[in-house]
Amino acid sequence: MSKNHRGTGIRTLPAHGRATCPICKKDNVKCLYEQEVDGQTVNICKVCKATLKNKARVEAKNAPVAAASETQTESTEA
């Protein structure tokens, strides 16, 4: 079966969604993902979106470990 409607959403965007990514500075990439960066909502590329998501996931994973180590040091000092 043909895929007649693939990409119709970005055809209406200026330059078919292609621009310079404000994070990685790559030129002429599809910047389709809205993300809040430094208090501003900007469109970023797929690679930068994945990078930010992975950083947030690692920080969330390490946050309970850091909190637990802080409570252990406080309890040993008391």
Side-chain angles (χ1 to χ4, degrees), residues 23 48-62:
I23 295 177
C48 291
K49 180 184 179 215
T51 302
L52 291 175
K53 186 176 180 181
N54 287 333
K55 283 182 183 178
R57 184 175 51 86
V58 168
E59 288 175 1
K61 182 180 176 184
N62 292 336

Side-chain angles (χ1 to χ4, degrees), residues 2-78:
S2 65
K3 296 167 178 63
N4 295 332
H5 303 292
R6 182 180 287 183
T8 56
I10 64 172
R11 289 182 193 155
T12 59
L13 297 174
H16 298 282
R18 295 190 176 268
T20 301
C21 179
I23 295 177
C24 63
K25 308 295 187 221
K26 287 184 183 176
D27 191 29
N28 202 23
V29 294
K30 291 179 187 174
C31 295
L32 303 174
Y33 305 96
E34 286 188 359
Q35 187 75 27
E36 187 171 332
V37 177
D38 297 330
Q40 296 179 344
T41 303
V42 294
N43 286 342
I44 61 174
C45 67
K46 185 177 183 178
V47 175
C48 291
K49 180 184 179 215
T51 302
L52 291 175
K53 186 176 180 181
N54 287 333
K55 283 182 183 178
R57 184 175 51 86
V58 168
E59 288 175 1
K61 182 180 176 184
N62 292 336
V65 174
S69 64
E70 288 177 5
T71 55
Q72 287 178 354
T73 56
E74 289 176 2
S75 63
T76 56
E77 291 174 358

